[in-house]
Amino acid sequence: MLQLIFLAILINGSAGYNFHLMDTSAYNRYPPGRSYYLLVVDGGTVYYSGISTESKNWLCRMLGYQSYYTQNTYSYSWQQNFPIRYTNLECAGSVVPQCRYQETANYYSSALYIYCNARSQYGDTSNFYLADRSGAHTQQDYGLLMYNGGTVSGKKFDQATADLICYIMGYKDAMSWMVGRKYFTDQKNLRIRITDLNCMTKDRAFPLCTYGTDAANSTHDEDVWLWCDKPNTNNLVCPPGHRKYSSNRCFECSAGTYSPDPTSSSSCSSCPTHSTSLAGSTFCSCNEGTYMNSAGNRCLTCPEKSTSKKGSTFCSCAAGTYLYTSGEEISCVQCPGGKVSKEGSTAPADCVDCPSGTAPINNGQACSCDEGYGWEWSNDGEEEIGYCKPCLANFYKSKINGTCAACPKLATSPPLSGECQCPSGMSWDGESCMNCQGTNNTAGGVCDCLAGSFWNEETSSCNNCPRNHFSGNFSTKCTKCPINTISVFQSAECSACSKGSSWQNYTCTQCEEEEEVGNGVVCIACPDGFPPLNNDTCSCDKGYGWEWSTNKEGSCKACPANFYKDKDQGTCVRCPHEATSLPLSQDCQCPSGLSWDGRGCVDCGSSNSTAGVCDCLPGTFKSEESGQCEPCPKNHFSGKFATVCMMCPVFTVSVPQSAECTSCPKGYSWENYTCTECPENHVGNGATCSVCPEGTSPSKDKTICQKSAVDSLSVGSLVLCVLIIIVVVGIIFVTWRERQARKVLEDIQLTYQAESSTLSGGGKVKGRRCMCPSCPCSEVPKPALPERGKAVEQDDVYANFS
């Protein structure tokens, strides 16, 4: 529908972005989305000149319409209340509008009136749309905000931005929005298309939007969920070619119907007799051989000797005639004798004489020409009406109209020909290739010859094709088989030699050597270490498939991405639709909800998938050899419905029949899928062990290095320890000296007692050395030594006992 709008803007609503339309015959303001309203900006209007089509498209979209149609300008007397305030308006941008303008003060005339195309339904007219919980495009007024199949990051999202996006999608302003909502499962797998989206409207008549496309610093925790306010659709008007289906939907008119104007009707008009239309049509096209009358409401049949193309409004008379019109009636009139005319001539003056040396033929359709030459009409405006043109290769001279006509499809001819050579199985009838299987063909001749035989002109009979030749039905010759193919006697086609054999001089020979394979062209020996898998394929390493690169060469080629190695054929085969694989893969990765069964993706959740891979739980896999679910080996893992166990990633391990792999404990290192405790004075992070720096030692769980206890002592503590040691040593030494002194004293006392007990007659003992330097030494009586006193006698110790 086309909406006539007097453009201006009013920004005084509750939201930062609040465009309103005003009725052109009054001052009443209405919500956006209804027809024939005036748009006012700050109580003013916009100058109509110099605004680009892109800018006017954005203006219509920001009002909730689908697109711009056309513009005009008017000067009603009441417009003096709305003077022009803005000029040089330019709104550009492929995603969101970036509007720039100049403020002015001008008379009210020359304000912009703009026609906008109404939308057929809401939420479908821009790259922005809302997605439901399945991730699908929804016609509801709430959902995850999407742009071109990806999400929108809302770091700078605000109410004004939300309002504008809702308007662009055809809704009213935003009811609510939030950032970071997890709305459906695959949301995290989507690409973030738009980042930092923000539309500035404060203190602006038109919004200025900014955004980014680099999602490196954005996450799905910032995705925008949006709820828009549905517009009033009770008065929804559908565009031409559509009908109203419900209160908020327009559907295309079905084939055979049309709708020429915007409408609120729930039905489309049927096409008139002799006409048809495609779905979504605004008009009907007359069938071939008919034309539309001048009123445009009836398709009439073309007169005799005329034709028309589908959708024509006129009929074209055949060559040699001209069109005669009388009111609604038309006819094709023959040119007078001796004159010719082009096809489509419309007046008697179009009938002309042939050039000198030629004469009219075929009722004035052309002028006569020599054999191999056809009549060619000149372009309008040239003096000569036409000339005789040589017929080129793959053309022939038509006997009907005397012109050069193209040979039928697959038929050929040399230059200057009067007929064409037809494909095998067909015969030339003068103007076309005759199919011998047709009902109008005469019996006998080439049409009696079936596939594997040919028509022999010499014997006037059908002869069988010899060995290594073939023919189709109704052939005039047999064709030799192509290289690398053979045929038996009386063959309709040729075939390649079987697998495991070779071709030479139209003979197939079976491969004889044990390690040879053949592709029907050549036999070759398999590479060392790769024995034959079957008679035309050599075995290859995992992820590699056998490939015949030429007819005479074969080798093992790496299976590229999105291919897998077929275990039976030994070749690389493309994964099924939507399944993927990495290079060198044995299997394909199926989409979510499907599982790989060795050859295709199966739905284990359906009632038809109760056997095979669908029986295997996490930690097991479907074995091709046993056909049973077997446990994954140590350091491997699998999910449910698996056909292969995956090896644990580096730095992880697992026990047999594991659904996942785990890292080595802290204080251990990983090497060749074994966890080993770190040695003395080392710490480990579960992947590697490292030695502690000097002055540190491992913690109890060997996860961190920490300072040694001795290093924690202060210098004062060390000095105190040394002093304590000195004091202890001193005490020990003094104690030892005292003990030694007491021992000497005891020895002296013992000596004295011994001497005293042996003294007689007042004898004295002469002393030679004093053991007690503080005592005066003197001679003392020396007693006689007893028997056991020899030690005293020999002792040089003397003392004064007085």
Side-chain angles (χ1 to χ4, degrees):
M1 178 182 179
L2 304 180
Q3 310 290 1
L4 175 60
I5 305 167
F6 174 51
L7 182 62
I9 300 182
L10 178 65
I11 304 183
N12 57 6
S14 58
Y17 171 72
N18 192 19
F19 286 6
H20 286 270
L21 301 180
M22 181 176 287
D23 194 304
T24 56
S25 62
Y27 300 151
N28 301 325
R29 300 188 180 103
Y30 296 86
R34 298 179 68 184
S35 60
Y36 300 104
Y37 290 146
L38 167 68
L39 185 64
V40 181
V41 187
D42 291 336
T45 59
V46 177
Y47 185 59
Y48 83 101
S49 180
I51 304 177
S52 67
T53 299
E54 182 181 12
S55 300
K56 286 177 281 194
N57 265 321
W58 270 121
L59 289 173
C60 289
R61 291 178 64 188
M62 288 188 290
L63 291 169
Y65 295 100
Q66 184 161 327
S67 60
Y68 159 76
Y69 178 68
T70 189
Q71 71 170 47
N72 210 328
T73 182
Y74 300 96
S75 298
Y76 294 106
S77 59
W78 52 264
Q79 288 179 215
Q80 59 187 320
N81 296 317
F82 302 96
I84 294 176
R85 294 189 182 278
Y86 301 99
T87 185
N88 295 331
L89 173 62
E90 185 67 29
C91 293
S94 59
V95 177
V96 285
Q98 298 171 324
C99 298
R100 293 173 175 82
Y101 54 90
Q102 293 180 348
E103 296 189 20
T104 184
N106 204 343
Y107 186 62
Y108 68 89
S109 63
S110 301
L112 176 66
Y113 280 78
I114 184 171
Y115 281 85
C116 294
N117 292 316
R119 58 181 68 249
S120 59
Q121 63 187 55
Y122 298 95
D124 282 342
T125 58
S126 71
N127 292 327
F128 286 103
Y129 65 91
L130 300 177
D132 60 20
R133 290 190 176 277
S134 68
H137 189 166
T138 179
Q139 292 297 324
Q140 295 294 327
D141 50 357
Y142 59 87
L144 193 71
L145 180 60
M146 307 285 284
Y147 182 83
N148 277 351
T151 63
V152 177
S153 174
K155 280 185 180 179
K156 299 181 180 180
F157 208 77
D158 58 16
Q159 184 64 43
T161 307
D163 289 339
L164 179 57
I165 297 302
C166 285
Y167 271 80
I168 289 176
M169 291 190 296
Y171 300 101
K172 292 171 66 177
D173 47 17
M175 297 284 287
S176 176
W177 57 275
M178 66 176 64
V179 173
R181 184 169 184 180
K182 302 297 188 295
Y183 203 52
F184 51 86
T185 304
D186 288 337
Q187 181 178 337
K188 62 181 181 297
N189 298 323
L190 297 177
R191 180 177 175 182
I192 300 175
R193 294 282 187 181
I194 301 295
T195 63
D196 303 327
L197 178 60
N198 179 260
C199 294
M200 294 178 288
T201 59
K202 185 177 181 182
D203 301 325
R204 291 185 57 84
F206 299 92
L208 178 62
C209 298
T210 59
Y211 67 95
T213 57
D214 184 1
N217 297 320
S218 299
T219 68
H220 286 290
D221 291 334
E222 300 159 354
D223 288 348
V224 175
W225 180 89
L226 184 59
W227 179 15
C228 299
D229 187 9
K230 280 188 177 180
N232 183 1
T233 58
N234 293 331
N235 296 324
L236 177 68
V237 179
C238 295
H242 291 73
R243 63 183 178 85
K244 191 173 181 180
Y245 176 72
S246 62
S247 61
N248 67 339
R249 298 290 296 275
C250 291
F251 275 12
E252 287 185 339
C253 293
S254 59
T257 65
Y258 71 105
S259 174
D261 301 307
T263 181
S264 296
S265 174
S266 60
S267 62
C268 299
S269 301
S270 297
C271 287
T273 305
H274 304 311
S275 67
T276 58
S277 69
L278 300 176
S281 294
T282 59
F283 61 91
C284 297
S285 299
C286 291
N287 297 334
E288 186 176 340
T290 65
Y291 69 99
M292 183 68 70
N293 66 348
S294 57
N297 57 8
R298 293 173 57 201
C299 291
L300 305 177
T301 302
C302 287
E304 186 180 359
K305 298 183 180 180
S306 68
T307 59
S308 69
K309 295 181 179 180
K310 180 178 176 63
S312 293
T313 57
F314 62 91
C315 297
S316 177
C317 289
T321 65
Y322 64 91
L323 183 67
Y324 174 78
T325 303
S326 176
E328 288 275 335
E329 300 296 328
I330 63 172
S331 61
C332 293
V333 180
Q334 185 70 42
C335 286
K339 293 183 180 291
V340 294
S341 68
K342 294 182 183 181
E343 181 182 357
S345 296
T346 59
D350 293 333
C351 296
V352 296
D353 294 322
C354 282
S356 177
T358 65
I361 59 173
N362 300 327
N363 293 323
Q365 294 186 27
C367 296
S368 61
C369 295
D370 291 338
E371 190 67 30
Y373 287 76
W375 178 255
E376 179 81 7
W377 287 98
S378 301
N379 295 327
D380 292 339
E382 295 186 6
E383 293 183 2
E384 294 182 356
I385 63 171
Y387 61 99
C388 290
K389 173 184 177 181
C391 294
L392 303 177
N394 299 324
F395 281 76
Y396 73 99
K397 181 178 180 180
S398 172
K399 296 180 175 63
I400 296 177
N401 54 27
T403 61
C404 293
C407 289
K409 185 178 180 181
L410 301 180
T412 60
S413 72
L416 304 179
S417 291
E419 61 182 25
C420 299
Q421 301 297 320
C422 295
S424 176
M426 306 188 78
S427 299
W428 183 251
D429 67 355
E431 291 293 331
S432 62
C433 288
M434 177 182 66
N435 188 341
C436 290
Q437 292 178 326
T439 58
N440 297 325
N441 298 318
T442 58
V446 68
C447 291
D448 289 336
C449 300
L450 301 180
S453 65
F454 70 101
W455 176 254
N456 189 327
E457 292 287 349
E458 296 180 358
T459 63
S460 296
S461 62
C462 295
N463 293 356
N464 293 326
C465 291
R467 185 173 178 266
N468 296 321
H469 289 71
F470 72 100
S471 72
N473 288 324
F474 323 129
S475 296
T476 58
K477 64 178 181 178
C478 294
T479 304
K480 192 167 187 177
C481 290
I483 298 295
N484 299 330
T485 64
I486 60 171
S487 72
V488 296
F489 179 76
Q490 195 179 350
S491 290
E493 60 183 359
C494 302
S495 58
C497 294
S498 62
K499 295 179 180 181
S501 64
S502 63
W503 181 96
Q504 188 174 8
N505 295 329
Y506 291 96
T507 300
C508 296
T509 304
Q510 201 71 20
C511 298
E512 297 180 354
E513 298 295 331
E514 183 177 352
E515 295 296 316
E516 280 189 338
V517 293
N519 64 345
V521 177
V522 66
C523 293
I524 63 172
C526 288
D528 292 342
F530 298 96
L533 179 66
N534 47 49
N535 56 12
D536 71 327
T537 306
C538 297
S539 58
C540 298
D541 286 334
K542 285 187 176 181
Y544 287 77
W546 183 257
E547 179 180 297
W548 291 96
S549 54
T550 66
N551 284 337
K552 296 184 178 180
E553 294 181 4
S555 60
C556 291
K557 299 292 185 181
C559 293
N562 299 324
F563 281 72
Y564 73 98
K565 181 178 180 180
D566 186 284
K567 297 178 178 63
D568 296 328
Q569 299 299 323
T571 58
C572 296
V573 180
R574 180 177 290 278
C575 291
H577 180 60
E578 295 185 353
T580 60
S581 72
L582 297 175
L584 305 179
S585 291
Q586 298 285 106
D587 304 284
C588 298
Q589 300 296 320
C590 295
S592 177
L594 301 179
S595 299
W596 180 250
D597 68 352
R599 289 188 177 275
C601 294
V602 297
D603 183 2
C604 289
S606 70
S607 58
N608 297 326
S609 302
T610 58
V613 67
C614 295
D615 291 335
C616 298
L617 301 177
T620 66
F621 73 103
K622 171 70 177 301
S623 171
E624 291 290 339
E625 297 179 358
S626 67
Q628 303 297 319
C629 296
E630 297 186 1
C632 291
K634 182 181 179 182
N635 296 321
H636 290 70
F637 71 100
S638 73
K640 61 182 179 179
F641 316 140
T643 59
V644 65
C645 293
M646 306 297 292
M647 195 164 191
C648 288
V650 175
F651 302 131
T652 64
V653 294
S654 73
V655 298
Q657 198 171 344
S658 289
E660 59 183 359
C661 301
T662 58
S663 301
C664 292
K666 292 183 178 180
Y668 284 72
S669 65
W670 182 96
E671 185 175 2
N672 294 330
Y673 292 96
T674 301
C675 297
T676 305
E677 185 176 5
C678 293
E680 190 71 22
N681 203 35
H682 286 67
V683 293
N685 60 0
T688 59
C689 292
S690 56
V691 66
C692 286
E694 185 177 355
T696 65
S697 60
S699 61
K700 187 176 181 180
D701 57 0
K702 292 186 178 182
T703 59
I704 60 172
C705 295
Q706 56 190 12
K707 288 186 176 181
S708 301
V710 67
D711 289 339
S712 63
L713 296 176
S714 64
V715 175
S717 298
L718 291 174
V719 172
L720 180 60
C721 289
V722 172
L723 291 177
I724 292 173
I725 293 171
I726 293 173
V727 171
V728 171
V729 172
I731 293 172
I732 294 172
F733 179 75
V734 170
T735 303
W736 178 78
R737 286 288 304 272
E738 289 179 351
R739 291 180 64 184
Q740 289 298 105
R742 284 197 298 272
K743 184 177 181 182
V744 170
L745 182 59
E746 290 174 356
D747 287 344
I748 293 174
Q749 291 174 350
L750 291 173
T751 303
Y752 168 76
Q753 292 174 358
E755 288 181 343
S756 297
S757 62
T758 57
L759 288 177
S760 62
K764 294 185 178 180
V765 179
K766 186 177 181 179
R768 290 174 293 178
R769 185 162 62 88
C770 183
M771 292 298 293
C772 182
S774 62
C775 302
C777 293
S778 61
E779 293 184 354
V780 295
K782 182 177 180 181
L785 295 174
E787 289 296 325
R788 59 182 185 86
K790 291 182 180 180
V792 176
E793 183 181 16
Q794 296 173 358
D795 199 341
D796 62 351
V797 179
Y798 296 87
N800 185 359
F801 295 100
S802 58

